[in-house]
Amino acid sequence: MNGHSDIEEKLRKIQCSTPGEVDERILSDATAEFERSAKVQVGRSRRIIVWGVVIVLLAALVVFLMRRGEVKQERPQVTSKQEVIQQSEQPDIAPAPKQPETTQADKPVRERADVSPDTSGQAKLAHISSLAAAGNVNGLTAILETDDFVSKMAAVKFLSKMSDPRAAAALNELAGKLDPDDPEDYLLADALGVEDFGMPEEEPQEVKTEQESKMAAEPNIPEDEEEQPVGQYATGWLTDVNGYTLEGKIHVGRKEAATDTNGMFSIERPSFAEFMSSFGYAVSDDGQLGAVFHWRQDEDLNDIEIVCMPFASASGSVVDVNGQPVSGFQMEIVPDVNEQLETGARGEFKGPWEIKIETDGSFEISSIPAGYPLVLVVSKDGSRARIALDEPEPGEHLPLGEVVLEAVLEEDSIPEGG
Amino acid sequence: MLEDCQVLWRVNHGDKQALREVYLKYKDSMYTTALALLNDYSAAQNILHDAFVMFAKDAPGFGLYRPVKNYLAECVISLSQEMLRSKMYKVEEVPRTSGIFLENEDSADEASQQQNTAMVMEAMAKIPQPQREAVALHLYGGLNFRKISQVQQVSVTTAQSRYSYGLEKLAGILDRQVEA
């Protein structure tokens, strides 16, 4: 480009300028735009600063709350592992922890000698915790004798977690001494798991350990029921045929559970000890829909969908072989499982149906869940009739006509009826 | 550069006088660039106006070390290209020299300067647009070839070639004008 130096020089000399009024117009417009932009910039900066301050304050608040939470968690802990070991090596009655010298001499002795007479709640809790950690049942039991409510509550908590019979006995004894007029005793009763504490005409209930209380908290579980491993629950939801969730109740064996507002249920798995205990039924809260179902022992009982349909109904009359009306018979509906009916281990199954029997032998059955094969069994004095209801259609009425009771030829066989 | 930095710091802090200083420093080179590109004093004034208003808008947050000259030159070339692309504007070969005010205030030289300027702008209007951009941006906008290549979205060599061919054509045109 050296060859163009002349023309470059010539061109560089050209320098034009704008007239003064044009300059003023441009500067005026540019200044106005500059001010407007500066204002926006200031507003933006202020917003950034405000948000920055807010974020910093929130972060500080979070840190503060986290630290506070950590401190709270650390408080009830045992002071050191060495102390626990020392406590466990001591006899049942533990010595008081180290106290400030000035307060010890002046304070009246309220507590028993085996209880820490200190003034600090934290020290008391640490002392009780160390007793619990050392398994010192007698030490904890002695605390129950004191008037210090906080210590008693702590001791109750620890004792209720112990499996030692002495702990249960001490808690039972304490439960018997509770005064319904004392507000503190209400709290103790609550901690002990005493139900209906303070209610008239009630005997003090037996205090249970934590495991016993947990089991007792489960609704409708008979005491003779086989013990279930914790966490073995069947879960799922009730729906109608359109897939909408329903609120209702579910019964499996002798267990019952209600759904939440979303139709979800959680019920303890059946024991499968008796065949019928694995059958269940569900009924919607409005009583219009229901279902019968059967769970197998090897079945995955998580997220089960139970579809409820409109109930079916049935009616008819029971007669003998001569066609005469029969009264005083027994009638039941069972799931259609022949082989299990012939064994003695089938158990009972009570469904949602309602059976009305008139004196002339006529009967009406309502609330029969649709969609599952059922059998109507009528029996009286060695005579029996068995009518298969098959799978009733939703909302269907089954006219069963005359159900003839026939004598059972062999003890274990059930003749077909209807 | 340091001077620009100080002025920009003042601009960042809302100093209108600093904005004025920036305008006075760059207005002539930008105006001449626009005039070289469009050969129309009125359009060049409008482009100068728009370019400085754009700068004023960005000025409160303008980076202290960002070259103002490059920013303004890019604005000028961008606005010029936009104007040319609109097809409503055609670069006239005969400029209206009445709008050209030269830096040299010496009345004796003013007439010849105006004549020279008119001849150069007329010659610029006759060369192809890419070459005109390369010449105007390098000579009047003060951009280096790397920056021109970025603006024109070509390689540096191509930008240099465009500049070289542009000068060659301009020299030929101006020679013919002198002979005529």
Side-chain angles (χ1 to χ4, degrees):
Chain A
M1 276 168 284
N2 293 333
H4 303 301
S5 55
D6 291 343
I7 184 71
E8 266 187 324
E9 190 67 27
K10 190 173 184 179
L11 290 174
R12 280 187 200 280
K13 283 181 183 172
I14 304 297
Q15 188 71 292
C16 304
S17 185
T18 50
E21 64 267 19
V22 173
D23 290 343
E24 288 309 314
R25 181 171 63 86
I26 292 172
L27 275 171
S28 168
D29 289 352
T31 307
E33 188 63 38
F34 178 62
E35 285 174 348
R36 204 163 28 241
S37 182
K39 210 174 279 180
V40 172
Q41 185 80 6
V42 168
R44 195 178 299 156
S45 304
R46 278 182 186 163
R47 274 199 297 277
I48 290 169
I49 290 167
V50 167
W51 277 110
V53 169
V54 167
I55 288 167
V56 167
L57 286 174
L58 281 174
L61 183 66
V62 168
V63 170
F64 170 73
L65 289 174
M66 284 171 70
R67 284 187 180 169
R68 199 174 162 197
E70 283 172 8
V71 170
K72 274 189 177 177
Q73 281 179 355
E74 284 168 5
R75 268 182 193 165
Q77 286 177 358
V78 181
T79 49
S80 71
K81 192 175 177 182
Q82 198 175 0
E83 271 189 42
V84 174
I85 295 165
Q86 283 174 358
Q87 292 289 347
S88 64
E89 287 170 353
Q90 296 294 327
D92 267 1
I93 297 172
K98 210 170 184 180
Q99 295 300 315
E101 292 174 4
T102 50
T103 54
Q104 182 70 2
D106 302 334
K107 282 184 81 63
V109 179
R110 292 173 63 228
E111 295 87 356
R112 285 162 57 120
D114 52 355
V115 180
S116 164
D118 71 306
T119 55
S120 160
Q122 194 173 348
K124 282 179 189 172
L125 287 173
H127 172 58
I128 294 165
S129 298
S130 63
L131 288 177
N136 191 337
V137 177
N138 288 346
L140 292 170
T141 307
I143 291 169
L144 297 179
E145 305 287 327
T146 66
D147 296 331
D148 185 3
F149 172 68
V150 176
S151 299
K152 275 163 84 172
M153 279 293 279
V156 164
K157 287 285 181 192
F158 284 121
L159 282 170
S160 63
K161 287 178 184 172
M162 292 181 171
S163 55
D164 195 316
R166 289 177 298 168
L171 292 174
N172 278 330
E173 191 185 342
L174 177 65
K177 290 178 185 174
L178 295 178
D179 179 6
D181 295 330
D182 189 344
E184 288 183 349
D185 283 3
Y186 264 97
L187 296 171
L188 281 170
D190 185 46
L192 288 163
V194 178
E195 292 175 5
D196 301 329
F197 177 67
M199 296 291 286
E201 300 173 5
E202 284 279 339
E203 291 294 323
Q205 294 195 6
E206 192 174 341
V207 180
K208 300 169 178 123
T209 61
E210 190 177 11
Q211 284 181 342
E212 288 169 347
S213 301
K214 199 171 180 179
M215 286 183 66
E218 297 298 330
N220 300 325
I221 301 173
E223 286 182 3
D224 58 345
E225 192 76 22
E226 188 181 344
E227 192 176 345
Q228 292 289 320
V230 178
Q232 290 203 351
Y233 284 85
T235 58
W237 61 91
L238 302 186
T239 64
D240 63 11
V241 288
N242 296 317
Y244 294 108
T245 55
L246 295 171
E247 288 183 53
K249 284 190 173 60
I250 177 172
H251 305 254
V252 181
R254 277 171 285 185
K255 301 179 183 68
E256 179 187 330
T259 67
D260 62 11
T261 53
N262 298 318
M264 297 291 294
F265 67 82
S266 174
I267 190 166
E268 198 176 342
R269 282 172 67 101
S271 64
F272 297 103
E274 294 175 338
F275 181 73
M276 283 299 170
S277 67
S278 58
F279 279 90
Y281 68 93
V283 180
S284 65
D285 277 350
D286 60 6
Q288 300 296 316
L289 306 174
V292 169
F293 54 86
H294 173 233
W295 288 342
R296 296 188 314 277
Q297 192 160 7
D298 57 347
E299 195 174 349
D300 179 12
L301 299 181
N302 293 314
D303 296 335
I304 306 159
E305 183 179 1
I306 298 173
V307 181
C308 297
M309 292 185 279
F311 286 121
S313 59
S315 63
S317 60
V318 180
V319 295
D320 60 15
V321 288
N322 299 318
Q324 297 299 314
V326 176
S327 61
F329 55 84
Q330 291 180 335
M331 183 177 275
E332 65 173 338
I333 299 176
V334 293
D336 187 6
V337 275
N338 285 327
E339 69 280 8
Q340 295 300 329
L341 288 171
E342 292 166 5
T343 69
R346 68 184 182 92
E348 288 183 4
F349 178 65
K350 289 181 180 176
W353 39 77
E354 291 175 11
I355 301 173
K356 286 181 185 172
I357 302 172
E358 303 295 334
T359 51
D360 62 350
S362 62
F363 62 88
E364 286 185 0
I365 310 169
S366 58
S367 302
I368 304 172
Y372 196 90
L374 298 167
V375 174
L376 176 67
V377 179
V378 185
S379 57
K380 183 186 179 185
D381 301 334
S383 298
R384 183 172 289 178
R386 181 176 180 272
I387 300 173
L389 300 178
D390 295 328
E391 296 181 14
E393 292 292 321
E396 185 185 15
H397 178 75
L398 301 167
L400 300 176
E402 290 186 342
V403 178
V404 181
L405 278 177
E406 294 177 352
V408 180
L409 298 176
E410 293 177 16
E411 199 176 334
D412 292 335
S413 67
I414 300 169
E416 291 292 329
Chain B
M1 188 66 191
L2 187 62
E3 195 182 338
D4 270 3
C5 191
Q6 289 169 346
V7 174
L8 284 174
W9 187 86
R10 285 163 56 205
V11 168
N12 284 172
H13 288 75
D15 189 346
K16 291 176 201 167
Q17 183 58 35
L19 185 70
R20 191 180 185 88
E21 287 174 24
V22 172
Y23 173 75
L24 293 175
K25 182 174 179 182
Y26 293 107
K27 75 179 179 83
D28 289 343
S29 60
M30 294 305 135
Y31 180 59
T32 311
T33 306
L35 198 60
L37 289 167
L38 300 170
N39 198 23
D40 182 336
Y41 80 95
S42 176
Q45 284 172 8
N46 285 339
I47 282 174
L48 181 69
H49 172 274
D50 291 351
F52 267 94
V53 169
M54 282 170 76
F55 171 72
K57 194 176 177 182
D58 291 345
F62 203 87
L64 293 183
Y65 297 98
R66 190 174 173 186
V68 180
K69 183 178 67 181
N70 287 4
Y71 175 89
L72 289 171
E74 281 176 36
C75 287
V76 167
I77 191 74
S78 167
L79 290 165
S80 302
Q81 285 173 344
E82 202 175 311
M83 189 175 276
L84 291 169
R85 267 199 300 269
S86 69
K87 294 182 181 175
M88 293 174 68
Y89 185 83
K90 187 173 181 298
V91 179
E92 297 291 341
E93 292 186 2
V94 181
R96 293 191 287 180
T97 53
S98 58
I100 300 172
F101 291 81
L102 302 175
E103 285 294 294
N104 192 343
E105 292 179 355
D106 188 343
S107 56
D109 294 336
E110 191 172 346
S112 94
Q113 282 282 8
Q114 281 194 359
Q115 197 179 355
N116 281 341
T117 304
M119 281 173 64
V120 168
M121 294 305 164
E122 192 181 330
M124 290 281 282
K126 287 176 182 171
I127 63 172
Q129 170 73 13
Q131 293 173 9
R132 187 161 67 239
E133 280 180 9
V135 173
L137 287 173
H138 186 64
L139 286 179
Y140 305 121
L143 299 191
N144 57 27
F145 289 110
R146 190 175 54 82
K147 193 69 196 171
I148 293 169
S149 70
Q150 287 172 3
V151 170
Q152 293 194 322
Q153 296 181 339
V154 293
S155 66
V156 177
T157 320
T158 306
Q160 284 174 335
S161 301
R162 284 177 177 179
Y163 175 75
S164 185
Y165 287 129
L167 285 185
E168 208 170 297
K169 282 183 184 171
L170 276 174
I173 291 166
L174 287 172
D175 286 345
R176 282 198 295 275
Q177 281 177 349
V178 169
E179 285 170 8

